[in-house]
Amino acid sequence: MQHPLENIAAQQPPFDPADAPVEAVLGRGGRELRMSFADGSTAAAPAETLRLRCRCAWCTRARVDARFPAAFADAAIVAVEPMGGYAVHLVFADGHDRGIFPWSYLRSLAREASAAAHAEPAQAA
């Protein structure tokens, strides 16, 4: 009889390894996380976006209770701590240090931020 965990172990990782950057650095004084990928592409995620989109239990509960801020204008990242090969733990200047951000999630947030930045000038015209 096969143990149930053997099925899980035989599966592909629950993230796309291509989403793990070869380099991740803080830019603009901690106001963005810049990532470079093996395929030569780059992406940047603003610290405010990351703080707003934190999925930790504390932030999730604050959203449910309608106590979560609409903005973090002074958001800055002060530390990036690797979590295995699939994620990072971000520490923010406001003291928030509970979120684990999978690389796939960070890359998607960076894509959203880039799309929004490109759409803004078109809307203003």
Side-chain angles (χ1 to χ4, degrees), residues 2 10 15-16 18 20 30 37 40 49 55 63 69 71 73 77 81 84-85 95 100 104 113 117-119 123:
Q2 188 177 24
F15 64 93
D16 185 349
F37 301 92
T49 298
R55 300 188 295 188
R63 284 185 196 92
I77 302 164
E81 301 166 353
I100 296 174
S104 296
H118 287 93
Q123 291 176 358

Side-chain angles (χ1 to χ4, degrees), residues 27-74:
R28 297 179 42 233
R31 297 215 177 255
E32 71 182 6
L33 179 64
R34 296 178 183 164
M35 299 166 280
S36 301
F37 301 92
D39 65 5
S41 66
T42 60
E48 182 176 25
T49 298
L50 300 178
R51 183 66 181 88
L52 285 168
R53 302 286 293 273
C54 178
R55 300 188 295 188
C56 79
W58 290 89
C59 291
T60 300
R61 185 72 221 180
R63 284 185 196 92
V64 169
D65 292 341
R67 295 181 296 108
F68 197 76
F72 288 95
D74 295 328

Side-chain angles (χ1 to χ4, degrees), residues 51-120:
R51 183 66 181 88
L52 285 168
R53 302 286 293 273
C54 178
R55 300 188 295 188
C56 79
W58 290 89
C59 291
T60 300
R61 185 72 221 180
R63 284 185 196 92
V64 169
D65 292 341
R67 295 181 296 108
F68 197 76
F72 288 95
D74 295 328
I77 302 164
V78 295
V80 179
E81 301 166 353
M83 301 291 295
Y86 75 97
V88 289
H89 172 234
L90 298 179
V91 179
F92 293 90
D94 66 359
H96 186 68
D97 68 347
R98 293 176 177 89
I100 296 174
F101 292 78
W103 289 120
S104 296
Y105 184 53
L106 287 171
R107 196 168 191 182
S108 72
L109 292 177
R111 285 183 186 123
E112 286 177 23
S114 177
H118 287 93
E120 287 176 11

